[in-house]
Amino acid sequence: MVLSGHRLTWLTGLAFGVAILAGSAPAVDFGDLAIVGDSITQGGPTPSYRHPFWKHLVDGGIAAGTDYTFVGSQTGFYQSQSAGIAAGYRGETFANVHEGHWGWRAKWHNADEPLPAGRYDTSNLGQGTIANWTGQAATFATGDAGVVAYSGSAAVPDTVVMMVGINDLGDGTDAATVESRIERMVQQYQAANGDVRIHVASPLPVGAGHGSAATINPQVESLNTSLATAAAGWSTATSTVDYVDLRSGFNATQMT
């Protein structure tokens, strides 16, 4: 079951851009910027929120290569390396580079559990874990092939934007456990760069038509309530962590 197949509309992408940029004005220097998550981040038939988020950067005069550079082991969308409909904008070209992995759980990002068969090295899902993507490890564990060598790219981001956890909740995992998995993700990025800035975005509910909405959505609310207070506590003396509230005003039935 891939719950994060409920893709976000451009409205949420713009809201996300506003939320991030508002916390960064007036001077903006994201450095190497990794956008991390599941299908909501990777995108498939539609380019996910990353494309309208990028357009908002362009509109704000925030220059690629100067104020930020998208980094990550992934290029393109689910099942496709192509930029597809993620077209250029105002004379600029969209860099479709990220750390979105369709259907992935937080527990796979942080290597709490090995990557299952069929969940890596196929359909442009990518491979590895945070430790590999940041150059801290050369191998990763799989459920079908044991420990294998990582063959993707690596980068150490200065800024991380992550929205993850809906698929963990869809598996029936409780909100407290998912929060701990996200915290470990934060810690792993901090281990790679002690000065990293991390924006933890609120996981979003599924629409009313989803067969498991009645079970999943209360856990989404519980997770967001705890993340709203916990995220800042994950900061260190040099690494700032904050919570980005996308949940307020979001109507999953209309916006997915």
Side-chain angles (χ1 to χ4, degrees):
M1 178 166 58
V2 181
L3 293 174
S4 62
H6 68 294
R7 291 173 293 278
L8 303 189
T9 66
W10 64 273
L11 288 173
T12 301
L14 290 179
F16 196 82
V18 169
I20 295 297
L21 294 174
S24 303
V28 175
D29 182 8
F30 292 131
D32 286 345
L33 170 57
I35 303 183
V36 183
D38 42 46
S39 68
I40 296 172
T41 298
Q42 183 171 21
T46 58
S48 90
Y49 74 85
R50 291 183 295 107
H51 190 245
F53 172 48
W54 165 74
K55 291 171 69 175
H56 197 78
L57 296 178
V58 175
D59 287 337
I62 300 170
T66 301
D67 300 317
Y68 74 95
T69 300
F70 287 134
V71 297
S73 68
Q74 289 287 88
T75 57
F77 305 123
Y78 176 57
Q79 299 182 326
S80 175
Q81 292 283 341
S82 171
I85 65 171
Y89 179 66
R90 297 181 65 176
E92 298 196 23
T93 301
F94 177 58
N96 200 342
V97 180
H98 57 93
E99 211 61 82
H101 302 261
W102 187 283
W104 277 31
R105 282 65 168 154
K107 65 182 180 181
W108 300 343
H109 283 76
N110 67 16
D112 272 2
E113 292 187 10
L115 287 173
R119 291 294 190 170
Y120 67 98
D121 284 342
T122 184
S123 300
N124 202 32
L125 287 174
Q127 60 167 250
T129 69
I130 292 171
N132 302 118
W133 307 330
T134 57
Q136 299 179 87
T139 61
F140 64 98
T142 72
D144 59 331
V147 176
V148 300
Y150 176 68
S151 60
S153 62
V156 178
D158 301 295
T159 305
V160 173
V161 176
M162 63 172 66
M163 179 163 48
V164 68
I166 187 65
N167 291 319
D168 301 72
L169 295 175
D171 289 339
T173 306
D174 64 274
T177 299
V178 178
E179 179 189 330
S180 70
R181 291 173 179 174
I182 296 172
E183 181 180 10
R184 282 193 288 278
M185 291 175 63
V186 168
Q187 292 169 341
Q188 289 167 348
Y189 278 109
Q190 289 174 327
N193 178 0
D195 298 320
V196 66
R197 299 174 296 271
I198 301 177
H199 305 280
V200 179
S202 52
L204 297 172
V206 297
H210 193 288
S212 300
T215 301
I216 297 168
N217 286 344
Q219 288 297 305
V220 171
E221 301 305 325
S222 178
L223 177 58
N224 282 324
T225 297
S226 60
L227 285 175
T229 56
W234 301 340
S235 297
T236 70
T238 57
S239 170
T240 301
V241 182
D242 60 32
Y243 172 77
V244 181
D245 177 19
L246 301 183
R247 176 64 189 95
S248 298
F250 180 78
N251 185 314
T253 302
Q254 295 178 0
M255 295 182 176
T256 62

